[in-house]
Each structure stands twice: as structure tokens, then as C-alpha cells.
């Protein structure tokens, strides 16, 4: 089957030609793929599970986000494999096969937008569309050594996209080239081209970087040297984000557990933030999909089965507190970043896990990952994951987060920083 020749990235191949226009279009000549969560007229949206595909009809329209990039001049070449019901950040799928990580074939590609990331990382397309609720663009971008952008919440239409948890769902995208990432962003966000704006401050949360197993000279130092070259180091500010969040987001007390306080591997306030995000995600997933899951009783892969049924059984208690947390946390981050501020973060807390790792052994890693991923998830801020080369033959990345609605600013900043960061990452790689 053709899938094996293309890193197992695709569910099905087809061609959707760009919507014709007399003028030269910004995405002309570029190819893209879409995660199998987007409606495409004439195809069943499979949602990563054969029972879902079997029990649903063909789509009768195409998702606006897909139409936008077709109108922008790009050509769609197919739909990509995803984790079942978008409920994993690993990228493994027992039904359709796990797309092969082009950077590290013995490691997971990251999910749930696994095939979309692999298609870009392997050079099969110029860019791709995915979705990011709890980390499903940022994580696979990091694991596959490419750029991944999660936009501000509600900035890109999620119409014609199967919902996971609407308070957190976003349409994101992947690219290898920062110029392409920016061009696609301006099309999807319906933004005019603007000149780059100098960041007012780059905030380095030392506690968040301490969660990462990657040496700081491969992450923070690469960013700091690049910022110093381009903007000067006077804009750099170091903070303890966990302490700041604990003080400014009092409603997180509802999610502070003895377990969170005891473990040395986490930041208690961010572990609580992650708990709030995951509760909200489970509750909204249940509202969206409980009827189908309980009626069909689908065949679900290991790990996914437990997670999905846990969500279906989620009680409604504390849901109102989740929304209070969102409001308080967003206000706290706005105050911290001010105008044109950037928060740097590890995208993930370490190397991509090996394929077929027992889910129980990944619990500490997952807990750390969601402490980091929940920052943009709960606030609704935009975040980009930027590759920083390889360390011990595995991909390394760093993330930048900007205020809600600052997507154009962040996309332009990536384009400005990228070559210098790539150069500094190369120097750090050879100094090992």
C-alpha cells in the first residue's frame, strides 16, 4: 500500500486544486495536507477511528480553513493520519499505523496531528493543517523537528472541524520554512501584511525550563544569544512563573492536590492549571461525543480506551471554576507580558518517547508536558514551536508565546529570529 512509502502519514491521497484567480496568489505552487478531522466535500471525516468512519456519512461541504488556503493558491494532496478522536499527544494509532517520525524513526511522532507533522517533516508537502486542543500541533512539531503554530483561540474558524473541546480547540499549521509558516498564517487569520515589531521583553521562566531534561545551552542559551544579537539583552527578564501564577490565579486552589505539592518533578500551580485544563477538556469532550461512544462502543486502542471512557464518566463539578481559572489566568498573563512581550517555554519536557512505551511509564513526562502546554491552552494565547536542531540524535525545540490576538506579531518575530537561532543552534550542536 502507498502509505508505507510515505512515512505512513496519509489516510488517503487526492488532489484539490487551488481555487482559480487571475492574480498571483501568496500560496501558489505550495502543496498541503489536512488532518482527518477537517471536512472535505465528498469524503468521510474519519477522526482517527474506523468505527467513526463507518458510522458517519460523507461531508457535504469543505471546512472554511481548508477553503481559505485553497483560495490562497495552495494545492491539497490528501488527508493525514491522526490519533483516535484527537485524544492523545503521542501519535500512535493501532488501526491505521503510526506515522514514522522522519527525525527519529524509533520515536513517536507526537499527536494528535501526527500525519500532518510527519508529512511536513518528511518533505512530502510544504505545509499542513492540524488542530491543537491540549498540544496536538505543538508536540508533533517539536518531535518532528519542524515549525508548528497554535493560533489565538477563536482566531481561525473551526467550522467543519470535528470538535474535541470547544473552549480549547484551535486550527493550527506546520511548515519547515518560517516564511511559509507566516504566509499560511496570514491567509488563515485573514490578516494584512504588517512590518515586524520589536519585542518589548522576552520573559524566561527559569522554573519551566527546569522541567526539561534538555541542557539549557541547547534551548535557553540559543534563544538568548539570538535575542542579544538582534535586539540586545536588555529586553530579557527572568521570572519564576509558578510563583507568579500561584499568587495571581487564586481559583487554582480548587485544583491544588497533595500529589501536586509533593512531587519534585512539577510546579504545583502549573500542575493545578493542567488539572483545570484537562477537566474542562474531558467535560466538553463528553458533551460532544458521549452519545456516540456509548451507542457504538467503538474499538479503541490502548491508553485511548481508558482516557475516552474516563472522559465519558466525568461529573460536572468544578466546571464553573475552570472558567474562572481561564479568566484569572488570562488576566495574569496579559499583565506579565504587557504589549509586545514574549514568554519563552520548553515546548515539551524532553526527548520524544520511544515507540510502544508503556503509558504508565510516561505519566511523569505527560504531567510535565501538560504543565507547559496548558499555559497557552488555558489562556487562549498564541504559541509557536521552533526547531533547534538535534541533541543526542533527537530533535530539540523551544516555544514562544504571545498575547491573544498577537498572532501576526509572533509570526513576524519567528521569521526575524529563525536564521539566527538556526545558526546558534548549529554552533551549540557542534560544541557538544
Amino acid at each position: 500500500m502507498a502509505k508505507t512509502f510515505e512515512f505512513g502519514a496519509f489516510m488517503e491521497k487526492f488532489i484539490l486544486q487551488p481555487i482559480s484567480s487571475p492574480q498571483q496568489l501568496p500560496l501558489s505552487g505550495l502543496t498541503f495536507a489536512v488532518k482527518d478531522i477537517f471536512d472535505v466535500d465528498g469524503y468521510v471525516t474519519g477522526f482517527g477511528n474506523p468505527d467513526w468512519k463507518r458510522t458517519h456519512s460523507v461531508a457535504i461541504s469543505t471546512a472554511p480553513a481548508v477553503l481559505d488556503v485553497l483560495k490562497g493558491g495552495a494545492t491539497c494532496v490528501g488527508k493525514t493520519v491522526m490519533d483516535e478522536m484527537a485524544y492523545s499527544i503521542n501519535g500512535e494509532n493501532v488501526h491505521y499505523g503510526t506515522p514514522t517520525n522522519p527525525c527519529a524513526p524509533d520515536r513517536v511522532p507526537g499527536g494528535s496531528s501526527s500525519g500532518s507533522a510527519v508529512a511536513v517533516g518528511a518533505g512530502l508537502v510544504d505545509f499542513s493543517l492540524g488542530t491543537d486542543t491540549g498540544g496536538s500541533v505543538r508536540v508533533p512539531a517539536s518531535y518532528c523537528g519542524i515549525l508548528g503554530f497554535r493560533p489565538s483561540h477563536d482566531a481561525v474558524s473551526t467550522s467543519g472541524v470535528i470538535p474535541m473541546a470547544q473552549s480549547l480547540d484551535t486550527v493550527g499549521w506546520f511548515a519547515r520554512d518560517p516564511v511559509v509558516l507566516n504566509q499560511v498564517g496570514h491567509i488563515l487569520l485573514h490578516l494584512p501584511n504588517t512590518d515586524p515589531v520589536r519585542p518589548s521583553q522576552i520573559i524566561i521562566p527559569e522554573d519551566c525550563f527546569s522541567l526539561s531534561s534538555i541542557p539549557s545551552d541547547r534551548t535557553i542559551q540559543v534563544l538568548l544569544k539570538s535575542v542579544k544579537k538582534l535586539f540586545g539583552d536588555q529586553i530579557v527578564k527572568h521570572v519564576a512563573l509558578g510563583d507568579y501564577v500561584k499568587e495571581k490565579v487564586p481559583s487554582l486552589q480548587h485544583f491544588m492536590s497533595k500529589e501536586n505539592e509533593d512531587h519534585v518533578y512539577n510546579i504545583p500551580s502549573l500542575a493545578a492549571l493542567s488539572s483545570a485544563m484537562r477537566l474542562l477538556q474531558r467535560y466538553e469532550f463528553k458533551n460532544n461525543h458521549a452519545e456516540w461512544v456509548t451507542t457504538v462502543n467503538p474499538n479503541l486502542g490502548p491508553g485511548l480506551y481508558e482516557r475516552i471512557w474516563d472522559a465519558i464518566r466525568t461529573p460536572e463539578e468544578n466546571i464553573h471554576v475552570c472558567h474562572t481559572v481561564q479568566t484569572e489566568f488570562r488576566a495574569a498573563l496579559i499583565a506579565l507580558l504587557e504589549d509586545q512581550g514574549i514568554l519563552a517555554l520548553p515546548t515539551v519536557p524532553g526527548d520524544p518517547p520511544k515507540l510502544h512505551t508503556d503509558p504508565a511509564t510516561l505519566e511523569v513526562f505527560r504531567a510535565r508536558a501538560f504543565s507547559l502546554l496548558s499555559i497557552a491552552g488555558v489562556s487562549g494565547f498564541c504559541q509557536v514551536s521552533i526547531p533547534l536542531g538535534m541533541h543526542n540524535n533527537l530533535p530539540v525545540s523551544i516555544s514562544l508565546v504571545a498575547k491573544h490576538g498577537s498572532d501576526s506579531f509572533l509570526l513576524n518575530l519567528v521569521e526575524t529570529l529563525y536564521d539566527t537561532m538556526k545558526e546558534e543552534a548549529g554552533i551549540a550542536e557542534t560544541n557538544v
Side-chain angles (χ1 to χ4, degrees), residues 116-319:
S116 289
V118 166
V120 170
L124 306 176
V125 291
D126 296 300
F127 70 94
S128 62
L129 301 186
T131 57
D132 188 312
T133 303
S136 291
V137 164
R138 293 163 287 168
V139 173
S142 177
Y143 290 177
C144 291
I146 57 175
L147 292 154
F149 197 89
R150 174 197 163 97
S152 299
H153 186 256
D154 274 347
V156 177
S157 171
T158 53
S159 177
V161 182
I162 300 172
M164 205 268 179
Q166 287 91 328
S167 294
L168 307 164
D169 289 347
T170 62
V171 167
W173 57 100
F174 302 94
R176 294 181 302 279
D177 180 337
V179 176
V180 172
L181 190 84
N182 200 349
Q183 287 172 325
V184 173
H186 277 75
I187 295 290
L188 286 170
L189 294 154
H190 298 218
L191 293 170
N193 287 322
T194 52
D195 291 330
V197 175
R198 174 191 169 90
S200 58
Q201 53 178 346
I202 307 279
I203 297 171
I204 309 291
E206 301 284 356
D207 51 348
C208 292
F209 280 94
S210 74
L211 292 179
S212 173
S213 61
I214 308 296
S216 65
D217 63 333
R218 295 305 326 278
T219 55
I220 304 179
Q221 292 308 317
V222 169
L223 176 64
L224 291 180
K225 286 173 183 174
S226 305
V227 166
K228 185 176 182 179
K229 274 187 181 177
L230 292 167
F231 307 115
D233 55 9
Q234 70 281 358
I235 65 169
V236 175
K237 178 180 172 185
H238 296 265
V239 299
L241 188 64
D243 292 345
Y244 177 81
V245 170
K246 185 177 181 181
E247 181 193 340
K248 299 291 185 184
V249 190
S251 57
L252 278 176
Q253 286 302 104
H254 293 276
F255 298 96
M256 291 288 222
S257 66
K258 186 83 172 71
E259 188 183 55
N260 285 348
E261 295 283 4
D262 283 350
H263 283 305
V264 292
Y265 64 76
N266 71 24
I267 299 163
S269 62
L270 296 186
L273 188 72
S274 165
S275 296
M277 181 183 83
R278 290 197 276 177
L279 174 60
L280 185 58
Q281 186 176 8
R282 286 196 300 272
Y283 173 71
E284 293 188 353
F285 180 91
K286 171 187 172 178
N287 284 348
N288 289 322
H289 302 303
E291 185 181 344
W292 180 80
V293 172
T294 52
T295 305
V296 174
N297 191 17
N299 179 12
L300 297 164
L304 274 299
Y305 177 90
E306 294 79 4
R307 199 169 303 135
I308 285 168
W309 278 102
D310 278 352
I312 301 306
R313 299 182 185 113
T314 300
E316 293 193 22
E317 64 205 34
N318 274 356
I319 295 305

